[in-house]
Amino acid sequence: MQFLYNGITQFNESGVFVTFEESPADVIKNAFSFGWDLQKFIDEGKLFILDASPDPEGQDVVGNFDLSALIERVQYAVRKYKAKRVSIDSVTAVFQQYEAAPVVRREIFRLVARLKQVGATTIMTTERVEEYGPVARFGVEEFVSDNVAIVRNVLEGERRRRTIEILKLRGTRT
């Protein structure tokens, strides 16, 4: 959310926040704890929160799974709000209920490709299984992304150690 907030306040760039875990009301309330009045930006048409959280009752998957409807909703919101920034939190939440890894990989690739087509700079969060294991849960996120930053909060003894590792910066010499 900080990525979108800074885009709005410092660069006058609208944003779309796609939430798979929190309700829009919770996102707004939690951001307010940082002093960020997201409702103001929503009212001004600078921010749109797209609620993509799964049905709490669960759902049965019949037939082939794809994200076509979600991709269209995101694309529509980006165009409507002229968003330059998109934040997706978290792709893990939507895919953890599906076991077919190749399908998950295909859908993440489609989502990223469409966001590139609309010209939005996108941050996607994903969760890792282990702190020092594979980069991402589905083994594709780091390949379809232009940049990968690993954020860790590891307990060592009785102290927390926070680190950021820049794993990939496509298009740079680093």
Side-chain angles (χ1 to χ4, degrees), residues 64-98:
N64 293 331
F65 168 75
D66 70 38
L67 286 181
S68 295
L70 175 66
I71 291 169
E72 291 303 319
R73 288 173 65 199
V74 172
Q75 182 174 331
Y76 175 79
V78 167
R79 288 190 173 135
K80 179 178 179 180
Y81 293 92
K82 296 178 178 58
K84 299 290 183 198
R85 296 173 181 228
V86 176
S87 180
I88 301 173
D89 184 34
S90 102
V91 291
T92 306
V94 75
F95 289 122
Q96 67 189 1
Q97 55 192 323
Y98 303 102

Side-chain angles (χ1 to χ4, degrees), residues 2 5 22 24 26 33 37-38 44 48 55 61 68 79 85 89 99 107-108 114 117 119 125 141 143-144 168:
Q2 183 176 4
Y5 180 83
E22 292 182 281
D26 285 345
S33 70
D37 185 1
L38 299 187
E44 293 172 351
F48 180 73
D55 182 349
V61 177
S68 295
R79 288 190 173 135
R85 296 173 181 228
D89 184 34
E99 296 179 12
E107 293 307 305
I108 290 174
R114 186 66 66 90
Q117 282 178 346
T125 63
E141 300 92 329
F143 297 110
V144 300
K168 176 181 177 182

Side-chain angles (χ1 to χ4, degrees), residues 113-128:
R114 186 66 66 90
L115 288 166
K116 284 182 180 181
Q117 282 178 346
V118 296
T121 301
T122 305
I123 288 185
M124 289 190 309
T125 63
T126 186
E127 298 168 16
R128 301 176 77 187

Side-chain angles (χ1 to χ4, degrees), residues 1-19 27 31 36-38 41-42 46-50 78 83-89 120-124:
M1 184 52 76
Q2 183 176 4
F3 168 69
L4 299 179
Y5 180 83
N6 288 343
I8 294 166
T9 59
Q10 297 176 17
F11 301 100
N12 197 32
E13 294 180 343
S14 297
V16 173
F17 186 77
V18 182
T19 174
V27 171
W36 301 343
D37 185 1
L38 299 187
F41 297 139
I42 292 168
K46 295 179 179 179
L47 175 66
F48 180 73
I49 301 176
L50 195 158
V78 167
K84 299 290 183 198
R85 296 173 181 228
V86 176
S87 180
I88 301 173
D89 184 34
T121 301
T122 305
I123 288 185
M124 289 190 309

